[in-house]
Amino acid sequence: MTRSEHRGTARHVWIGIGATAVMLALALLGPLFAPHHPSDVIAPPYSSPSGQSLLGTDYLGQDTFSRILWGGSSVVWMSVTATAIAIVIGAILGLISAYIGGKLDALVLWLNDILLAFPLIVFVILFLSMLGRNPLLLVVLVAFGWLPSVVRLTRSVALEAIHQEYVASAEIIGTPRWRILVGEILPNITTPLIVQTGALLTWSIGVIAGLSFLGFGIQPPNADWGLMVNENRSGLMILPWGTIGPIVCIAAFALATNTLADALGRLLGARHTGHKADR
């Protein structure tokens, strides 16, 4: 990567950080600035924007602007938690599978193939239909849906690190296996894991918002961006802000995290390549 390309990539990283920070601030701090409680009925349904309601009211007469400010926190905590669970458990399974190998490795890959056989949305809806529409359960199911990709990625990059001399040296001097995994192998596979984290966060935002739209996420009368799209789509031609507003927020949040993940991946990849060349 040339110096100008490096500067351009670093600039995109900062743009991604800034955009993600703005969306997180909107989602987490928005309720502090909401003029109304999200469940307060302040005017007739689909009332036009006014001084009391900047974006008008929704299908029940609730303030659309206030519900948008309240509706981002659920998307944030659910998508971040699902991503974190998938990365942590997937990285642990992938590391252990690659390092120990044998029957354990075959078992992990077999379980991975079983999970991959189920489309994520179908997998989540199936269990939510049987066990109840619980937001925490939804998060766990989405996380398990992402596990195969994290396990496969971690396993593949860990297999390369395992055959390096520093791992062999640690084994020769009798270093415990868990210390080799945590101290020698894990630090050398962080770059692809960071990139994968950004990508999974972007996908989780879309999936969780989509499931809320389908009625399997946050339930009324709570405010949620995905739920708001479903609630107000019948009035799209009357007053579109109740539908367009949350769609823009979901898209902006996903775009911000995707920009950050893409730029950070290119930057870290270039640095990793440069370190290899120096060696």
Side-chain angles (χ1 to χ4, degrees):
M1 181 182 288
T2 65
R3 184 171 298 179
S4 61
E5 290 175 337
H6 185 276
R7 285 199 298 266
T9 301
R11 185 165 57 250
H12 279 95
V13 169
W14 284 111
I15 291 172
I17 291 174
T20 302
V22 168
M23 294 309 301
L24 287 175
L26 172 66
L28 300 178
L29 301 179
L32 299 177
F33 301 96
H36 303 281
H37 190 274
S39 60
D40 288 347
V41 176
I42 63 170
Y46 298 122
S47 296
S48 300
S50 63
Q52 185 184 16
S53 179
L54 295 179
L55 297 178
T57 59
D58 65 2
Y59 77 116
L60 289 179
Q62 301 163 131
D63 181 34
T64 297
F65 181 63
S66 296
R67 287 183 69 80
I68 289 176
L69 292 179
W70 278 85
S73 58
S74 56
V75 176
V76 169
W77 81 259
M78 292 172 76
S79 57
V80 170
T81 305
T83 301
I85 292 173
I87 289 294
V88 172
I89 297 179
I92 292 172
L93 289 176
L95 279 171
I96 295 175
S97 175
Y99 188 60
I100 295 180
K103 293 182 178 180
L104 178 62
D105 188 31
L107 176 62
V108 170
L109 291 178
W110 178 70
L111 292 174
N112 250 26
D113 291 338
I114 292 177
L115 282 177
L116 284 172
F118 293 91
L120 178 60
I121 297 295
V122 176
F123 173 78
V124 174
I125 290 178
L126 174 65
F127 280 91
L128 288 177
S129 299
M130 293 189 300
L131 302 177
R133 303 181 182 186
N134 185 296
L136 187 57
L137 177 60
L138 186 154
V139 167
V140 172
L141 291 172
V142 170
F144 269 83
W146 297 140
L147 272 183
S149 61
V150 181
V151 171
R152 285 185 177 275
L153 174 69
T154 305
R155 179 181 176 275
S156 64
V157 294
L159 283 173
E160 296 181 10
I162 286 170
H163 299 294
Q164 300 299 318
E165 293 181 358
Y166 55 82
V167 174
S169 300
E171 291 175 337
I172 290 173
I173 63 176
T175 304
R177 283 186 168 185
W178 70 268
R179 285 190 177 179
I180 294 176
L181 285 172
V182 176
E184 302 294 341
I185 300 175
L186 182 60
N188 289 279
I189 66 172
T190 53
T191 295
L193 282 179
I194 290 173
V195 176
Q196 182 76 345
T197 300
L200 287 186
L201 179 58
T202 302
W203 298 338
S204 295
I205 293 166
V207 168
I208 288 173
L211 288 166
S212 292
F213 171 82
L214 295 174
F216 289 92
I218 300 297
Q219 299 298 307
N222 298 303
D224 176 85
W225 288 341
L227 178 62
M228 287 180 66
V229 177
N230 185 32
E231 289 175 335
N232 298 295
R233 59 194 175 95
S234 59
L236 183 61
M237 303 304 296
I238 304 171
L239 193 70
W241 305 120
T243 303
I244 293 178
I247 287 177
V248 170
C249 290
I250 294 168
F253 191 19
L255 181 61
T257 56
N258 186 64
T259 299
L260 177 59
D262 180 62
L264 192 61
R266 286 188 279 117
L267 186 63
L268 292 175
R271 288 183 179 178
H272 185 66
T273 303
H275 290 328
K276 279 188 174 181
D278 292 339
R279 290 177 184 175

